Amino acid sequence: MQQVETISEMRHAVADARSKGKGIAFVPTMGALHEGHLTLVDEAKRVAEVVVMSVFVNPLQFGPTEDFARYPRTLDQDAKLAEDRGVDLMFTPTQADMYPEHAPVILIHPGSIGKEWEGAVRPHHFEGVLTVVAKLFHIVMPDVAVFGQKDLQQVAVVKAMVRDLNFPVGILVAPTVRDPDGLAMSSRNRYLSPKERELSLMLSKALFAMRDAFVRGERRASALEAIGWRMLERVVGLTPRYLAVVNADTFQRVNSVRHGDAAVGAIRVGETKLIDNIIF
Ligand code: PAF
């Protein structure tokens, strides 16, 4: 695996692969890799000869009170995991290289898709995500980029950006990887104490209960949301942030639930904020 730090080295490496007629699949990450990220690599390898992974903790997508400073940075371990899984090129730009003026003047706005849910509890988060993803797409110029279903609203805003701004990039979405007890894998899980981890499990349990009720025939979003809310509200030490049934493309709330709609939820346990979702 080749590891490159500067934007010009990255462009050069990609141009080299392209000149040999190779297709490029891209897995953008913020590092602290876990099996969820590595399944994105598997998906990328399935569709292209060259897999590029970026590791960049993007300051622009963190709010002033969020965990940017303490976000886990485990680059040596990430490089080993990425190489073992078959990443060809790892791009680890510095903040100075990505944001030479500290913050860009031009930002990409997520519009109505990014307004509610994560967009509401994390103002400007999706602006930060879309701006860095657009920059990375321009640097890496991939044919395809792979994102995880775990960040479903991120997937929706990225797909809309690609569509509305004509990026020549296909977007693939890989299913959420879960621990055996159902907890969705996340780099932030490592913040959890054993007790907090146990409490956090209720989010996936609530989402699974909503899905079970849908399978049994319940189609009213309000009834499904009530099932989930009842489960989250009774857990002492867990603060529900939102739980809703939405259209998975527009992220607008639905009344009558159809296959392909999603239940999205977020909780806070101690200092840790976690999100998860299921698709009906
Ligand atoms: O999903 C993430 O890890 C980040 O939001 C991304 C897409 C790498 C942008 O910083």
Side-chain angles (χ1 to χ4, degrees):
M1 182 180 78
Q2 191 185 349
Q3 205 169 321
V4 300
E5 207 178 80
T6 66
I7 293 174
S8 56
E9 278 175 304
M10 186 65 223
R11 287 195 196 283
H12 198 266
V14 166
D16 188 48
R18 284 234 176 272
S19 71
K20 295 179 181 133
K22 294 186 175 165
I24 293 167
F26 177 43
V27 179
T29 80
M30 298 205 300
L33 300 183
H34 51 68
E35 188 54 30
H37 297 109
L38 299 173
T39 62
L40 305 183
V41 173
D42 296 342
E43 191 64 20
K45 286 182 76 64
R46 223 174 41 77
V47 295
E49 292 94 338
V50 174
V51 175
V52 179
M53 173 186 275
S54 63
V55 174
F56 178 63
V57 184
N58 172 36
L60 217 58
Q61 68 189 74
F62 289 79
T65 60
E66 292 184 9
D67 56 345
F68 174 67
R70 74 172 182 131
Y71 197 84
R73 287 157 173 89
T74 55
L75 193 53
D76 290 345
Q77 197 189 326
D78 291 347
K80 168 122 195 34
L81 288 169
E83 178 158 32
D84 289 352
R85 202 60 165 241
V87 170
D88 300 288
L89 265 167
M90 190 174 210
F91 178 44
T92 57
T94 61
Q95 207 169 304
D97 215 7
M98 287 296 276
Y99 300 121
E101 307 296 331
H102 295 290
V105 177
I106 306 299
L107 297 165
I108 299 188
H109 194 275
S112 58
I113 304 174
K115 191 162 183 282
E116 304 293 340
W117 326 118
E118 273 313 273
V121 295
R122 303 183 71 186
H124 307 296
H125 169 67
F126 288 123
E127 266 174 25
V129 169
L130 290 181
T131 304
V132 82
V133 169
K135 283 168 73 73
L136 290 167
F137 282 0
H138 285 133
I139 296 163
V140 176
M141 303 280 229
D143 300 295
V144 169
V146 192
F147 291 82
Q149 186 200 315
K150 155 90 180 357
D151 296 300
L152 193 63
Q153 196 171 4
Q154 169 170 283
V155 167
V157 293
V158 168
K159 278 184 173 171
M161 175 182 80
V162 163
R163 180 197 65 207
D164 290 354
L165 302 185
N166 304 93
F167 280 74
V169 181
I171 302 297
L172 289 181
V173 183
T176 303
V177 180
R178 297 180 182 279
D179 285 338
D181 57 9
L183 187 71
M185 286 194 186
S186 161
S187 302
R188 290 190 169 94
N189 289 355
R190 62 186 82 194
Y191 297 151
L192 299 168
S193 69
K195 172 79 189 144
E196 288 173 339
R197 193 187 173 289
E198 204 183 308
L199 298 178
S200 305
L201 273 178
M202 194 51 88
L203 178 55
S204 53
K205 284 191 177 145
L207 293 166
F208 295 160
M210 293 167 75
R211 188 180 54 198
D212 291 346
F214 177 82
V215 169
R216 287 195 304 273
E218 181 58 79
R219 291 293 180 269
R220 292 166 303 159
S222 57
L224 294 173
E225 287 171 359
I227 289 169
W229 272 109
R230 269 199 301 276
M231 292 176 67
L232 294 182
E233 277 169 347
R234 67 168 192 240
V235 185
V236 179
L238 175 160
T239 311
R241 303 180 90 208
Y242 60 81
L243 182 70
V245 181
V246 300
N247 175 294
D249 295 319
T250 63
F251 268 75
Q252 306 305 304
R253 203 184 215 122
V254 298
N255 291 322
S256 178
V257 187
R258 295 201 287 208
H259 288 277
D261 289 336
V264 293
I267 56 170
R268 186 166 57 76
V269 178
E271 292 302 303
T272 308
K273 292 163 188 157
L274 298 172
I275 60 172
D276 196 357
N277 66 80
I278 52 106
I279 296 183
F280 293 105

